[in-house]
Amino acid sequence: MKKERSKKYRVIQALRILSQSIFFILFFYLLLVTHFPGEDYIGRVEIFFHFDPLLAIATFIASRAFFTSFALAASTVVLTFVLGRVACGWVCPLGSIHQFFSFIFKKSKLLKPKKNGDNRTAWKYYLLIFILVGTLFSLDLVGIFDPLSLLYRSFVASILPALNLGFSAFIGLLYQMNISSLGDSLVQFFENLAVNSVFRQGFFLGMLFIGILLLNLSRERYWCRYLCPLGAFLGLISRWNVMKLKIDPKKCIDCWLCTIHCQTQARPYPEEDWKSSECIYCYTCSAICPTSAVSFPVKSTPEEIVRVNLSRRKLIFTTLLGIAAIPFFRLSPSTRRASPKLIRPPGALPEKKFLQKCVKCGECMKACPTNGLQPALSEAGPEGIWTPILVPKIGYCEYYCSLCSQVCPTGAIQELTVQEKTKIKIGLAWVNKNTCIPYNLGTPCIVCEEHCPTSPKAIKLVKTEVKLPDGTIKTPVAPVINTDLCIGCGICEAKCPVVDEPAIYVTSVGETRSETNQLLLDIIKEEEGLF
Amino acid sequence: MKRRDFIKDMAVGSLLLKFHPSLLAQKKNFPDLAWIQGDSPSLITREALSSLGGMKRFVSRGDVVVVKPNIGWDRTPELAACTNPDVVKTLVELCLDAGAKEVKVMDNPCNPAQRTYVRSGISEAAKEAGAKVLFPNRHRLKKMALNGEWLKEWDVYTDFVEADKIINVPIAKTHSLSRLTMGMKNWLGAVGGNRNQLHQKLDQAMIDLASFFQPCLTVLDGYRILIRNGPQGGRVSDTKLHKTVVAGVDYVAVDAAGATFFDLGPQEFPYLRVAHQKGFGEIDLEKLIIEKRTL
């Protein structure tokens, strides 16, 4: 018998790799251009997320409100309904990365693909159930596991900062070798990219991401095959799968190559084992088959989709586990008192609503022009991990900027015009007179006042008596805050020359979005003079 | 010519030159300050320079020139927090016309440079005129001996030091510590490090920095000045149309002139008084030759 690999499917495989590359480049490009575009408003750089039906449905259930931009996710649903999980194989940028590393590991013999299947493919379905059960109770954990959120967050908070550091060292080397003209142009190029390079959990998020990549040493596309809840969701909604696997028994030489090299353990051989809900239509099997026995002819008749076996017992167990886990995610001291460090970006919904919608993707952190938006660790409780908070020690909220509100894919940060944004308080600033230079040394320092962006300024300089250690009295001007004018942007804290612990700092009290986290009751302000 | 005549001429000539050296030099009587008012920021800038003898007096063919505007804040031109873009643009044009090889425009701003450069309008204007608009590059920061009274050494962007000529183009604004920020205060934008700590002795820092950088020309933009809530302002009502440009070599005199925009006397500013005492420049406007004109 003639031994020949199918030309047609090798071309299709090449097309698939091309498609993956294009979508990955597009994803990366949209990520890179998510910064101040030179004008007040940025386009829909977050559009990738809107094609993600898992994010759409999870935030819809958790917040009981539909965000219209997610209408685009319907196209992914229809595509999957008709063609199966092609989005996983041809589009998903995280899938492409996994496939790339699997390929590298396979070529370098670090990964040996195995013939035998296992039951672990069911994990992702249980994870999906776990997430969706939470959303019923308004606990939105989808962002932790959603592939797009995971990828975007990892890139923003760790991969790009690490690359930035690497390039910076390289440029420093260029200057040391006196190749400064090249150094100059590289610096200007990177400045134009405006990469935020400082993230508090950069190491942790980076290790997590690299860990997930290293899973590919164990099985090809480990994440996609065992863990991805979006993949599970798409597996569940695939119905028709127009292209159906067919193995020509006359040509087949029972070599198992197709099943050994199947990216997602869909097991094309033996044919009756093929799990169409697991197949991502990467066409590796048909391209690798030494006798061109494997093909995917179009058969428009609906046939039963073969799915992963999920045990009813385990489904019930996962559901119960999901319900039992909910209160644990809400064990947080913030139920007693508002967290002072929980300074949300301007336009953020009230905390409860915010947590129901935020998918922890990091779009806002990428867009922030000062690098001030950081992933939360414990400030917002366990359910709020990696949600954005402003850390004014690192960066402040730029007065005329509403980019974070524009790029939020779920509306957790309500879209604002620049004009609207300047009216919003995200907290209030306080002077620490114990460390403030004029209050202590009697020496002038007006840096906070100088940087205060409101007009009139929320920081006033008032003559103050200061006692020095030798008993003499000095009367420098010192900062006093007008809490009516202060918007909590934090530039005072960011620029304070007291290097280690700024002598002026912002806390969340007074934030516009909260009814309870307020300093004064409105009623007291209005009826001033009664007492 | 006979040898005797030649020797005689030589003797007469050298005697003449000894007592009237100006015979060989062209007669040039430039004013100390050009003080021009008018409706167009670029025209008054042009006029100020021609009053001072033209840009060729300051910039020679093949020079690398750094023009240092104030691009400190994320504010649009009508808020008068940054130098007027047309003034910057005109200066760049004049430099290139005078034969400059390259004109760089840069500042180390307080808000992110990516925003201030664009929103001040300076980036676009300067690029249109043919300048290289550069973001401050921390690899070009170098600790330098300033040998000032207070600042012995500080991190300075080497672009300023390596340039053949520096032109300072500040804007006149109020400031809560130095009262006004004009030319000498503008040098805080040419350095790095923890420059917010310079405010502890700001007047001295301004004098030390200004005498270190030694611009060949200072052009003070008083087209729209900031009279309240400085140095950022924030509302158009914080500004005042003053439609003036003052230019001169003596940077102390330029700042002294700027004080009058705000109806203040130069004597009221400690930093000007000290700078004058140290001999860096004149602050008595009466003693200066000023060419004042309205277009």
Side-chain angles (χ1 to χ4, degrees), chain A residues 168 175 449-451 455 495, chain B residues 110 137-138 175-176 232 238:
Chain A
S168 189
Y175 280 101
E449 187 260 5
E450 172 182 46
H451 284 84
S455 178
K495 303 284 180 178
Chain B
C110 298
N137 173 354
R138 67 177 183 82
H175 188 271
S176 45
Q232 285 196 72
D238 294 331

Side-chain angles (χ1 to χ4, degrees), chain A residues 128-359:
Chain A
L128 175 70
I129 300 294
F130 183 85
I131 292 169
L132 290 180
V133 166
T135 61
L136 284 175
F137 296 86
S138 290
L139 176 72
D140 195 359
L141 298 178
V142 68
I144 296 176
F145 303 102
D146 176 81
L148 294 183
S149 278
L150 171 78
L151 179 61
Y152 202 95
R153 179 177 62 234
S154 306
F155 265 52
V156 167
S158 78
I159 307 294
L160 283 189
L163 286 176
N164 187 60
L165 214 60
F167 279 121
S168 189
F170 171 69
I171 291 170
L173 211 67
L174 288 180
Y175 280 101
Q176 273 176 18
M177 299 190 306
N178 277 324
I179 318 177
S180 51
S181 58
L182 179 61
D184 286 348
S185 28
L186 282 177
V187 166
Q188 297 301 322
F189 173 75
F190 283 113
E191 282 292 320
N192 276 311
L193 287 181
V195 171
N196 287 335
S197 55
V198 182
F199 284 96
R200 297 193 309 176
Q201 293 181 58
F203 175 76
F204 176 46
L205 287 168
M207 289 304 109
L208 210 60
F209 186 67
I210 290 172
I212 290 172
L213 290 186
L214 290 182
L215 288 178
N216 291 313
L217 287 170
S218 157
R219 287 302 181 99
E220 271 181 272
R221 287 185 75 145
Y222 190 102
W223 167 269
C224 314
R225 142 189 326 220
Y226 299 137
L227 298 173
C228 182
L230 175 58
F233 182 78
L234 295 180
L236 285 179
I237 60 170
S238 57
R239 270 282 166 279
W240 205 347
N241 288 33
V242 172
M243 288 163 294
K244 293 185 177 66
L245 174 91
K246 192 168 169 276
I247 297 180
D248 187 343
K250 276 178 261 164
K251 287 189 190 164
C252 180
I253 52 169
D254 303 322
C255 68
W256 287 87
L257 266 184
C258 52
T259 286
I260 291 171
H261 288 281
C262 176
Q263 302 280 332
T264 54
Q265 209 171 299
R267 302 188 67 74
Y269 179 87
E271 195 182 333
E272 59 275 14
D273 267 10
W274 182 58
K275 290 199 170 54
S276 42
S277 76
E278 296 302 290
C279 178
I280 58 168
Y281 296 91
C282 65
Y283 296 102
T284 305
C285 51
S286 44
I288 207 172
C289 178
T291 56
S292 309
V294 183
S295 60
F296 283 86
V298 173
K299 255 208 298 190
S300 54
T301 51
E303 254 171 69
E304 191 161 355
I305 301 284
V306 186
R307 298 185 191 284
V308 173
N309 278 329
L310 300 174
S311 94
R312 177 167 302 185
R313 218 176 271 273
K314 282 183 185 165
L315 278 178
I316 293 171
F317 175 75
T318 317
T319 309
L320 292 176
L321 187 72
I323 294 173
I326 292 161
F328 287 94
F329 278 96
R330 296 195 161 139
L331 292 177
S332 161
S334 60
T335 48
R336 280 285 164 87
R337 257 178 194 279
S339 165
K341 301 252 183 198
L342 190 61
I343 306 163
R344 292 290 191 197
L349 298 173
E351 188 59 16
K352 221 173 132 188
K353 278 247 146 10
F354 181 83
L355 288 177
Q356 292 164 5
K357 284 201 156 186
C358 176
V359 295

Side-chain angles (χ1 to χ4, degrees), chain B residues 28-35 48-49 51-53 57-58 216-219 245-255 257 281-292:
Chain B
K28 278 183 193 165
N29 265 334
F30 299 122
D32 295 316
L33 294 179
W35 191 314
L49 257 294
S51 302
L52 291 177
R57 184 182 151 203
F58 307 103
C216 70
L217 171 70
T218 302
V219 181
V245 155
V246 172
V249 179
D250 179 346
Y251 55 84
V252 183
V254 172
D255 274 16
E282 182 55 68
I283 60 168
D284 187 351
L285 296 179
E286 301 287 314
K287 288 187 188 160
L288 292 163
I289 303 166
I290 298 174
E291 191 164 321
K292 215 168 184 176

Side-chain angles (χ1 to χ4, degrees), chain B residues 5-27:
Chain B
D5 288 345
F6 178 74
I7 293 171
K8 210 165 85 186
D9 286 358
M10 280 280 282
V12 171
S14 43
L15 268 175
L16 265 175
L17 265 181
K18 186 167 167 67
F19 294 107
H20 291 279
S22 56
L23 270 184
L24 270 187
Q26 262 182 300
K27 198 173 159 68

Side-chain angles (χ1 to χ4, degrees), chain B residues 68-255:
Chain B
K68 162 70 175 75
N70 185 332
I71 329 179
W73 305 99
D74 181 21
R75 294 280 205 252
T76 42
E78 74 277 8
L79 298 176
C82 304
T83 308
N84 185 304
D86 288 339
V87 173
V88 180
K89 183 180 178 184
T90 308
L91 285 174
V92 173
E93 284 166 356
L94 290 172
C95 288
L96 289 171
D97 289 347
K101 188 172 84 183
E102 185 176 73
V103 181
K104 296 180 184 178
V105 173
M106 63 178 287
D107 187 19
N108 182 16
C110 298
N111 298 133
Q114 290 86 355
R115 289 186 66 90
T116 64
Y117 274 38
V118 172
R119 302 227 319 142
S120 66
I122 291 176
S123 180
E124 198 190 342
K127 274 181 194 159
E128 252 174 50
K132 253 188 169 177
V133 180
L134 299 173
F135 290 120
N137 173 354
R138 67 177 183 82
H139 294 283
R140 279 189 165 277
L141 272 179
K142 207 170 150 192
K143 194 158 256 131
M144 293 207 171
L146 304 186
N147 298 323
E149 188 99 9
W150 180 45
L151 294 181
K152 299 299 173 205
E153 52 176 28
W154 200 265
D155 283 339
V156 175
Y157 288 103
T158 49
D159 307 77
F160 292 96
V161 185
E162 287 166 6
D164 297 309
K165 303 284 160 54
I166 315 178
I167 298 177
N168 193 10
V169 205
I171 177 174
K173 303 186 286 178
T174 59
H175 188 271
S176 45
L177 195 52
S178 56
R179 294 189 70 183
L180 292 178
T181 156
M182 295 177 288
M184 290 169 69
K185 168 80 169 56
N186 204 26
W187 292 118
L188 268 84
V191 300
N194 192 351
R195 55 199 174 125
N196 285 337
Q197 288 178 329
L198 296 177
H199 290 74
Q200 293 157 21
K201 261 189 184 180
L202 185 60
D203 285 349
Q204 191 58 56
M206 285 158 66
I207 293 168
D208 290 350
L209 288 174
S211 60
F212 172 77
F213 283 105
Q214 289 288 351
C216 70
L217 171 70
T218 302
V219 181
L220 177 62
D221 161 31
Y223 189 75
R224 187 184 279 278
I225 60 175
L226 188 62
I227 53 171
R228 252 191 308 276
N229 220 45
Q232 285 196 72
R235 288 179 297 184
V236 176
S237 59
D238 294 331
T239 70
K240 189 178 122 191
L241 259 183
H242 196 63
K243 298 188 177 177
T244 308
V245 155
V246 172
V249 179
D250 179 346
Y251 55 84
V252 183
V254 172
D255 274 16

